[in-house]
Amino acid sequence: MTLLFQPIQFGSLQLQNKIVIAPMCQYSATEQGEITYWHEQQWANYALSGAGLCIVEATAVQAEGRISYADLGLWNDQQADQIKRLLQKVKSISPMPFAIQLAHAGRKASTDKPWAGKGQFKPEEPHGWQTVSASEIAFQSHEHPPKALSRDEIQHVIQDFAASARRAVEAGFELIEIHAAHGYLLHQFMSPLSNQRDDEYGGSFENRIRLTLDVLKAVKAAVPQDYPVGIRISATDWMEGVESWNLASSVQLSQQLEALGVAYIHVSSAGLHAEQKIEIGASYQVPFAQAIKKAVNVPVIAVGLITEAQQAEQILQHEQADAIAIARAVLYDPRWPWHAAAALGESIEIAPQYLRSQPHGVRELFKPFA
């Protein structure tokens, strides 16, 4: 029996299999941070994929927390109402649970759509605004420096994460993931490369992780008691030879996240510094997930160049992670879970309208949604 197609529990939420669609920015929202027809077709596509869970793209808790002017937001009720209507449509075609990743881009905000090639806008340019961070250190030297958040502004960020979490629950999402990875605001506070503060949110390790822990506590206090809240972290800055965020830091952080009742830890890496040196290859981030899994008792999700069914299954069999997140591979092949089930000799639940597409000679591959 394979492990990839066995159920898994994230807090109170049970998934039918261990395939998670990871958050992927679409840069297709309106300038008011609202969904468009692109999101309708994309979310429906995810819903019919056969994955156990979909976590939709990084969604900003403040307007200035968007990566780009075309990012999704959840900082007001109109955005939430539109998302709620879309999730109701999606639920009419698939029982697969949907989650949302709540985020603030910090100093990596105010950018163009990646395919447009402009990079970061200056505050005075159209589509640009003043970015914020832990300290006044730009991500790249040619960029306009961010404004260091004051204590009051930090509290405002925490409150906005909580307010967005309440909207997410009301909209119908069944899980929330906090984005503390990829060089965005929470990661910026955690890494000494971007945080040079001398107050209670800077300096020591405990001070630098304070904002992430405060956000988790605030989000958990804002949602129903048994509602699952997970987190995504960058396990390392990939910056050898300098004081930076690294795997040992992530292990310590993960233990504290577990103590606060996090539902899972989603382990990625990098994104904090322009001079990072990443050793990219198949499953290149899995060892980070494995190290964290050994240190905590909550589920750990592995992600990063996991593209083949047998590869995903072996990660689980070797107890390197508890679930597998797939991102670009699902954009390339929206039926990746179907093909993984076929490759592993498993069955998978699909919409009954697709039952007649079962390949000849594979009699037990498909079964209708329960």
Side-chain angles (χ1 to χ4, degrees):
M1 182 176 293
T2 64
L3 295 178
L4 189 62
F5 287 90
Q6 297 303 306
I8 187 171
Q9 202 82 20
F10 288 161
S12 60
L13 179 65
Q14 186 179 68
L15 313 186
Q16 290 300 306
N17 59 57
K18 296 175 180 176
I19 303 169
V20 176
I21 297 177
M24 291 172 282
C25 291
Q26 298 297 297
Y27 305 99
S28 299
T30 71
E31 290 195 40
Q32 291 73 44
E34 297 170 0
I35 57 173
T36 64
Y37 178 66
W38 179 264
H39 297 96
E40 292 201 21
Q41 67 83 29
Q42 189 72 2
W43 293 13
N45 209 19
Y46 291 150
L48 296 171
S49 69
L53 174 70
C54 173
I55 310 173
V56 301
E57 65 192 88
T59 303
V61 301
Q62 296 179 340
E64 59 270 30
R66 292 172 293 170
I67 302 167
S68 80
Y69 66 91
D71 279 18
L72 205 58
L74 197 53
W75 65 80
N76 65 46
D77 292 342
Q78 182 169 324
Q79 295 161 340
D81 290 343
Q82 293 179 357
I83 288 173
K84 183 175 183 177
R85 289 193 290 272
L86 176 51
L87 284 178
Q88 288 170 343
K89 290 181 182 180
V90 170
K91 286 294 182 184
S92 74
I93 63 172
S94 168
M96 187 182 77
F98 267 64
I100 188 169
Q101 186 186 66
L102 297 181
H104 193 301
R107 69 181 186 178
K108 293 178 74 175
S110 186
T111 72
D112 200 356
K113 298 177 183 180
W115 53 82
K118 171 66 176 176
Q120 189 177 59
F121 294 111
K122 292 182 171 61
E124 65 273 14
E125 293 182 295
H127 303 314
W129 59 86
Q130 175 62 57
T131 62
V132 299
S133 187
S135 302
E136 295 180 359
I137 305 170
F139 176 62
Q140 300 194 74
S141 59
H142 65 272
E143 294 177 342
H144 187 84
K147 174 186 178 295
L149 287 166
S150 68
R151 288 183 177 90
D152 287 346
E153 288 168 335
I154 289 171
Q155 295 309 309
H156 192 191
V157 169
I158 295 168
Q159 292 164 13
D160 284 347
F161 265 97
S164 294
R166 285 190 288 270
R167 294 188 185 99
V169 174
E170 175 59 28
F173 289 108
E174 296 177 63
L175 179 148
I176 289 169
E177 179 173 281
I178 296 170
H179 199 356
H182 300 164
Y184 297 125
L185 185 64
L186 301 187
H187 187 182
Q188 289 162 30
F189 268 79
M190 291 192 288
S191 175
L193 292 173
S194 47
N195 184 344
Q196 296 182 5
R197 302 174 71 94
D198 58 7
D199 63 4
E200 66 269 32
Y201 286 98
S204 69
F205 171 81
E206 292 297 334
N207 284 354
R208 286 185 281 108
I209 69 170
R210 190 183 306 277
L211 177 58
T212 297
L213 300 185
D214 285 352
V215 166
L216 174 59
K217 288 185 281 190
V219 167
K220 285 187 65 64
V223 301
Q225 184 173 358
D226 293 329
Y227 188 93
V229 179
I231 194 165
R232 194 176 206 187
I233 66 172
S234 278
T236 178
D237 289 339
W238 289 99
M239 292 287 292
E240 295 296 326
V242 296
E243 186 183 3
S244 60
W245 187 260
N246 56 29
L247 181 57
S249 307
S250 290
V251 168
Q252 293 181 64
L253 171 68
S254 297
Q255 291 169 333
Q256 297 202 37
L257 294 169
E258 179 183 20
L260 292 175
V262 77
Y264 65 78
I265 299 168
H266 189 171
V267 182
S268 189
S269 72
L272 189 283
H273 201 281
E275 296 178 9
Q276 61 191 15
K277 298 291 190 296
I278 308 177
E279 299 171 9
I280 293 181
S283 302
Y284 73 106
Q285 295 177 150
V286 172
F288 303 140
Q290 182 178 15
I292 290 171
K293 177 174 165 56
K294 289 179 179 178
V296 298
N297 294 308
V298 295
V300 171
I301 304 174
V303 68
L305 282 182
I306 303 170
T307 59
E308 305 299 327
Q310 290 289 353
Q311 176 191 11
E313 177 64 22
Q314 287 302 307
I315 292 167
L316 299 177
Q317 292 284 353
H318 293 156
E319 298 185 349
Q320 294 173 289
D322 300 291
I324 304 296
I326 307 294
R328 292 172 176 85
V330 167
L331 292 184
Y332 183 74
D333 178 5
R335 299 293 181 262
W336 191 94
W338 293 15
H339 301 147
L344 296 173
E346 286 286 349
S347 61
I348 190 167
E349 291 186 359
I350 68 165
Q353 293 91 334
Y354 289 140
L355 288 173
R356 287 190 296 172
S357 71
Q358 181 169 270
H360 179 70
V362 189
R363 293 185 178 182
E364 305 299 327
L365 177 60
F366 290 158
K367 53 187 177 182
F369 289 139

